Amino acid sequence: MSPLSERVQPLRQAWQTQWAGMSVGERRLLTAAAWLAALTLLVMLGVRPAWRTLQSVPTQMQAVETELAFMRQQADEAQKLRQHPPVPPVQAEASLQAATARLGASANLSRQGDRIVLNFQGVSGEALATWLEEVRVGARARPLEAAWQLGAEGAYQGTVTLSLGVGGAQ
């Protein structure tokens, strides 16, 4: 016999002796208590975690569906932009100049190789968003980098680096 079974054997014999000495009612009560403890353990370890997971699924599904709808919207927009004919570089530059002129004297464009950099100061968030939309649609420009910060008066200052693509292609 193993050392463990040698230690358990006296406890088992003591339990069997005590069990034999109990009345039928005591045995039933003890059996019911053991079943109740086992059922409680099963519920606490098996059923409750699964129940919590099932309760959180609708919220998670809603979040996933919202994100999927947003991604589909972006994919549709990208597909529409791909269907537009390419913009010749001269027309892209003119579109960029026109959009930048609407920002006022506090914004200027500079060319750095195949990239165009907008430097701006004191531009409202709405005007900046409108400018980005105009250059994206009108010039087919893609923002590569953006670094701006909100000033004390509620206007933005910073830079945006754009790529026009070769021959207007994206």
PDB file of all heavy atoms in Angstrom, residues 148-162:
ATOM      1  N   TRP A 148      -0.255  68.563 -35.007  1.00  0.00           N
ATOM      2  CA  TRP A 148      -0.828  69.851 -34.661  1.00  0.00           C
ATOM      3  C   TRP A 148      -1.223  69.844 -33.208  1.00  0.00           C
ATOM      4  O   TRP A 148      -1.322  68.814 -32.560  1.00  0.00           O
ATOM      5  CB  TRP A 148      -2.001  70.222 -35.563  1.00  0.00           C
ATOM      6  CG  TRP A 148      -3.164  69.260 -35.550  1.00  0.00           C
ATOM      7  CD1 TRP A 148      -3.935  68.904 -34.496  1.00  0.00           C
ATOM      8  CD2 TRP A 148      -3.685  68.546 -36.660  1.00  0.00           C
ATOM      9  NE1 TRP A 148      -4.898  68.023 -34.881  1.00  0.00           N
ATOM     10  CE2 TRP A 148      -4.779  67.787 -36.198  1.00  0.00           C
ATOM     11  CE3 TRP A 148      -3.363  68.472 -37.998  1.00  0.00           C
ATOM     12  CZ2 TRP A 148      -5.534  66.968 -37.027  1.00  0.00           C
ATOM     13  CZ3 TRP A 148      -4.116  67.668 -38.816  1.00  0.00           C
ATOM     14  CH2 TRP A 148      -5.183  66.923 -38.333  1.00  0.00           C
ATOM     15  N   GLN A 149      -1.430  71.036 -32.706  1.00  0.00           N
ATOM     16  CA  GLN A 149      -1.848  71.184 -31.317  1.00  0.00           C
ATOM     17  C   GLN A 149      -2.828  72.334 -31.205  1.00  0.00           C
ATOM     18  O   GLN A 149      -2.817  73.252 -32.013  1.00  0.00           O
ATOM     19  CB  GLN A 149      -0.654  71.379 -30.401  1.00  0.00           C
ATOM     20  CG  GLN A 149       0.201  72.573 -30.728  1.00  0.00           C
ATOM     21  CD  GLN A 149       1.462  72.587 -29.888  1.00  0.00           C
ATOM     22  OE1 GLN A 149       1.720  71.679 -29.117  1.00  0.00           O
ATOM     23  NE2 GLN A 149       2.258  73.633 -30.040  1.00  0.00           N
ATOM     24  N   LEU A 150      -3.635  72.256 -30.206  1.00  0.00           N
ATOM     25  CA  LEU A 150      -4.651  73.265 -29.966  1.00  0.00           C
ATOM     26  C   LEU A 150      -4.031  74.413 -29.192  1.00  0.00           C
ATOM     27  O   LEU A 150      -3.423  74.205 -28.141  1.00  0.00           O
ATOM     28  CB  LEU A 150      -5.820  72.662 -29.185  1.00  0.00           C
ATOM     29  CG  LEU A 150      -7.031  73.539 -28.935  1.00  0.00           C
ATOM     30  CD1 LEU A 150      -7.637  74.008 -30.251  1.00  0.00           C
ATOM     31  CD2 LEU A 150      -8.065  72.792 -28.115  1.00  0.00           C
ATOM     32  N   GLY A 151      -4.166  75.612 -29.720  1.00  0.00           N
ATOM     33  CA  GLY A 151      -3.622  76.796 -29.062  1.00  0.00           C
ATOM     34  C   GLY A 151      -4.561  77.307 -27.979  1.00  0.00           C
ATOM     35  O   GLY A 151      -5.668  76.810 -27.788  1.00  0.00           O
ATOM     36  N   ALA A 152      -4.111  78.324 -27.294  1.00  0.00           N
ATOM     37  CA  ALA A 152      -4.872  78.889 -26.179  1.00  0.00           C
ATOM     38  C   ALA A 152      -6.191  79.504 -26.646  1.00  0.00           C
ATOM     39  O   ALA A 152      -7.182  79.492 -25.921  1.00  0.00           O
ATOM     40  CB  ALA A 152      -4.028  79.943 -25.461  1.00  0.00           C
ATOM     41  N   GLU A 153      -6.227  80.055 -27.861  1.00  0.00           N
ATOM     42  CA  GLU A 153      -7.437  80.721 -28.343  1.00  0.00           C
ATOM     43  C   GLU A 153      -8.398  79.762 -29.043  1.00  0.00           C
ATOM     44  O   GLU A 153      -9.355  80.176 -29.681  1.00  0.00           O
ATOM     45  CB  GLU A 153      -7.071  81.887 -29.278  1.00  0.00           C
ATOM     46  CG  GLU A 153      -6.332  81.493 -30.545  1.00  0.00           C
ATOM     47  CD  GLU A 153      -4.838  81.256 -30.342  1.00  0.00           C
ATOM     48  OE1 GLU A 153      -4.286  81.635 -29.294  1.00  0.00           O
ATOM     49  OE2 GLU A 153      -4.230  80.671 -31.238  1.00  0.00           O
ATOM     50  N   GLY A 154      -8.144  78.447 -28.969  1.00  0.00           N
ATOM     51  CA  GLY A 154      -9.042  77.456 -29.561  1.00  0.00           C
ATOM     52  C   GLY A 154      -8.785  77.184 -31.024  1.00  0.00           C
ATOM     53  O   GLY A 154      -9.590  76.555 -31.690  1.00  0.00           O
ATOM     54  N   ALA A 155      -7.670  77.676 -31.552  1.00  0.00           N
ATOM     55  CA  ALA A 155      -7.304  77.431 -32.946  1.00  0.00           C
ATOM     56  C   ALA A 155      -6.086  76.512 -32.975  1.00  0.00           C
ATOM     57  O   ALA A 155      -5.313  76.446 -32.018  1.00  0.00           O
ATOM     58  CB  ALA A 155      -7.001  78.744 -33.650  1.00  0.00           C
ATOM     59  N   TYR A 156      -5.921  75.814 -34.077  1.00  0.00           N
ATOM     60  CA  TYR A 156      -4.837  74.847 -34.207  1.00  0.00           C
ATOM     61  C   TYR A 156      -3.625  75.441 -34.926  1.00  0.00           C
ATOM     62  O   TYR A 156      -3.755  76.350 -35.731  1.00  0.00           O
ATOM     63  CB  TYR A 156      -5.314  73.623 -34.986  1.00  0.00           C
ATOM     64  CG  TYR A 156      -6.293  72.791 -34.213  1.00  0.00           C
ATOM     65  CD1 TYR A 156      -7.670  73.030 -34.286  1.00  0.00           C
ATOM     66  CD2 TYR A 156      -5.860  71.764 -33.388  1.00  0.00           C
ATOM     67  CE1 TYR A 156      -8.567  72.274 -33.567  1.00  0.00           C
ATOM     68  CE2 TYR A 156      -6.752  70.996 -32.668  1.00  0.00           C
ATOM     69  CZ  TYR A 156      -8.104  71.253 -32.756  1.00  0.00           C
ATOM     70  OH  TYR A 156      -9.006  70.501 -32.043  1.00  0.00           O
ATOM     71  N   GLN A 157      -2.475  74.858 -34.622  1.00  0.00           N
ATOM     72  CA  GLN A 157      -1.248  75.199 -35.317  1.00  0.00           C
ATOM     73  C   GLN A 157      -0.469  73.909 -35.500  1.00  0.00           C
ATOM     74  O   GLN A 157      -0.562  72.998 -34.696  1.00  0.00           O
ATOM     75  CB  GLN A 157      -0.429  76.200 -34.526  1.00  0.00           C
ATOM     76  CG  GLN A 157       0.026  75.690 -33.156  1.00  0.00           C
ATOM     77  CD  GLN A 157       0.724  76.765 -32.366  1.00  0.00           C
ATOM     78  OE1 GLN A 157       0.542  77.946 -32.631  1.00  0.00           O
ATOM     79  NE2 GLN A 157       1.523  76.366 -31.407  1.00  0.00           N
ATOM     80  N   GLY A 158       0.282  73.822 -36.616  1.00  0.00           N
ATOM     81  CA  GLY A 158       1.067  72.622 -36.859  1.00  0.00           C
ATOM     82  C   GLY A 158       1.344  72.409 -38.326  1.00  0.00           C
ATOM     83  O   GLY A 158       1.338  73.358 -39.123  1.00  0.00           O
ATOM     84  N   THR A 159       1.567  71.135 -38.684  1.00  0.00           N
ATOM     85  CA  THR A 159       1.873  70.782 -40.067  1.00  0.00           C
ATOM     86  C   THR A 159       1.114  69.527 -40.472  1.00  0.00           C
ATOM     87  O   THR A 159       0.786  68.691 -39.635  1.00  0.00           O
ATOM     88  CB  THR A 159       3.387  70.498 -40.261  1.00  0.00           C
ATOM     89  OG1 THR A 159       3.743  69.383 -39.457  1.00  0.00           O
ATOM     90  CG2 THR A 159       4.231  71.690 -39.913  1.00  0.00           C
ATOM     91  N   VAL A 160       0.864  69.425 -41.788  1.00  0.00           N
ATOM     92  CA  VAL A 160       0.286  68.228 -42.390  1.00  0.00           C
ATOM     93  C   VAL A 160       1.116  67.916 -43.612  1.00  0.00           C
ATOM     94  O   VAL A 160       1.315  68.784 -44.474  1.00  0.00           O
ATOM     95  CB  VAL A 160      -1.193  68.423 -42.777  1.00  0.00           C
ATOM     96  CG1 VAL A 160      -1.740  67.183 -43.463  1.00  0.00           C
ATOM     97  CG2 VAL A 160      -2.045  68.766 -41.572  1.00  0.00           C
ATOM     98  N   THR A 161       1.610  66.692 -43.703  1.00  0.00           N
ATOM     99  CA  THR A 161       2.389  66.261 -44.864  1.00  0.00           C
ATOM    100  C   THR A 161       1.513  65.384 -45.750  1.00  0.00           C
ATOM    101  O   THR A 161       0.879  64.445 -45.258  1.00  0.00           O
ATOM    102  CB  THR A 161       3.633  65.468 -44.422  1.00  0.00           C
ATOM    103  OG1 THR A 161       4.383  66.277 -43.498  1.00  0.00           O
ATOM    104  CG2 THR A 161       4.495  65.090 -45.593  1.00  0.00           C
ATOM    105  N   LEU A 162       1.482  65.726 -47.037  1.00  0.00           N
ATOM    106  CA  LEU A 162       0.612  65.036 -47.994  1.00  0.00           C
ATOM    107  C   LEU A 162       1.428  64.382 -49.101  1.00  0.00           C
ATOM    108  O   LEU A 162       2.524  64.826 -49.423  1.00  0.00           O
ATOM    109  CB  LEU A 162      -0.349  66.026 -48.664  1.00  0.00           C
ATOM    110  CG  LEU A 162      -1.222  66.865 -47.763  1.00  0.00           C
ATOM    111  CD1 LEU A 162      -1.853  67.983 -48.551  1.00  0.00           C
ATOM    112  CD2 LEU A 162      -2.289  66.007 -47.123  1.00  0.00           C
TER     113      LEU A 162
END
